[in-house]
Amino acid sequence: MIITKIIHRLAALTLISTLSIFAAPSWAIPLIFEFTGTISNTVLISRIEQTLSTSHPQWNGQQVTGTLTIDLPELAASPYNGPGYSQYSKTYDAYPYANWISFSVTNPDGSILDISDSIPIIPAPEGESDDAYTHLAHQYDPYGVSSFYAQRTYSSSEPYPRNSAALSLDADGDNALWLTSSANYNDVIIKPEFANVNNYGSVYQLNELGFGYQYYFRIDSLKRKSTDVPEPSLWLAFIVGLLFIKMKRHRLFS
């Protein structure tokens, strides 16, 4: 009987220890940003309303929506990251090395563009043809600028197929205070209406023959989607409580 009790207690302690590790902050989940925009062949780039080519001029003035998914890898973090600036770029440690960013874009006609490596290109692209990059700044020195940028490219080394999407927002002066709330991806609030240097999104998805979608849009909203995931500590407390009840019952009936 004593041996049985010891075994039960050791099992309980082992389970609690395992759950403690499992419930640590390493429970990271991808960040999802939802965005909306107005398609236009004229967008704000370097403080100038620049006119650019588009494959669908009939869509000008219409709405585009989408999601940006970022699973920030520690190996991709810049060594210069700090309170006012965060930057992540692709890592060459293992292929695929840029699949931690992806875009899903819904066109005005309802078609959906997947900008990722979910549809393999053969031969597999390398270098700048398979690229991921993002940065977030809030009143960053020496000029006190605020900005958000994210980009994903997955294209053939030949002209086509081509898959690329990007979001770019920059502000300086008084507007820099309001464009971003921090340089922390996990809690940042972004207000595109305050971008006075850059405000544009770009989409390229062209097939092997060069046909598809190529357009720009003004970013109207960019919001981090909240995730309704229970706190790991709550699960841990719940399971520990069950184990405690089980041990009490075992003692009672013993």
Side-chain angles (χ1 to χ4, degrees):
M1 185 63 68
I2 294 176
I3 294 176
T4 302
K5 288 183 178 181
I6 292 174
I7 292 174
H8 274 282
R9 289 179 181 177
L10 286 175
L13 290 173
T14 301
L15 180 57
I16 291 172
S17 177
T18 302
L19 288 169
S20 298
I21 296 173
F22 183 66
S26 59
W27 252 35
I29 57 176
L31 300 171
I32 299 176
F33 291 86
E34 298 176 320
F35 62 86
T36 63
T38 303
I39 296 176
S40 176
N41 60 351
T42 302
V43 291
L44 181 65
I45 300 178
S46 299
R47 304 181 190 277
I48 300 172
E49 294 288 344
Q50 299 193 27
T51 300
L52 305 165
S53 61
T54 175
S55 63
H56 288 67
Q58 69 274 22
W59 285 356
N60 286 339
Q62 297 191 44
Q63 293 293 301
V64 60
T65 62
T67 58
L68 162 65
T69 302
I70 306 177
D71 191 359
L72 296 174
E74 286 302 320
L75 290 176
S78 167
Y80 303 105
N81 286 356
Y85 186 76
S86 297
Q87 174 186 312
Y88 295 82
S89 55
K90 67 182 179 184
T91 173
Y92 291 93
D93 289 349
Y95 188 86
Y97 42 71
N99 64 352
W100 47 275
I101 285 183
S102 64
F103 283 85
S104 177
V105 182
T106 302
N107 293 321
D109 63 359
S111 57
I112 298 176
L113 306 182
D114 177 13
I115 310 296
S116 69
D117 56 3
S118 61
I119 301 176
I121 294 176
I122 301 174
E126 298 180 1
E128 295 306 311
S129 296
D130 190 0
D131 189 30
Y133 174 86
T134 182
H135 73 249
L136 174 63
H138 179 65
Q139 294 189 298
Y140 185 63
D141 291 334
Y143 303 108
V145 298
S146 294
S147 65
F148 175 85
Y149 184 84
Q151 173 260 328
R152 179 73 170 98
T153 298
Y154 185 69
S155 302
S156 171
S157 57
E158 300 296 328
Y160 308 109
R162 183 173 183 180
N163 297 278
S164 180
L167 299 174
S168 181
L169 294 165
D170 290 270
D172 61 6
D174 294 339
N175 286 33
L177 175 63
W178 302 104
L179 177 65
T180 57
S181 62
S182 72
N184 186 343
Y185 283 86
N186 293 290
D187 62 15
V188 67
I189 298 172
I190 302 173
K191 299 179 179 179
E193 62 269 26
F194 290 99
N196 59 356
V197 179
N198 292 308
N199 182 336
Y200 69 88
S202 63
V203 172
Y204 295 87
Q205 190 170 75
L206 307 175
N207 62 19
E208 291 79 359
L209 300 176
F211 298 109
Y213 305 90
Q214 177 180 347
Y215 61 81
Y216 288 80
F217 58 90
R218 183 186 70 247
I219 302 170
D220 297 323
S221 69
L222 178 61
K223 298 179 180 180
R224 181 176 48 84
K225 185 178 180 180
S226 60
T227 53
D228 298 326
V229 178
E231 286 290 334
S233 57
L234 296 179
W235 286 111
L236 179 59
F238 174 72
I239 295 175
V240 168
L242 289 180
L243 288 172
F244 180 75
I245 294 172
K246 179 177 176 60
M247 292 173 65
K248 294 288 286 185
R249 285 169 59 90
H250 180 74
R251 289 177 183 174
L252 178 65
F253 287 103
S254 296

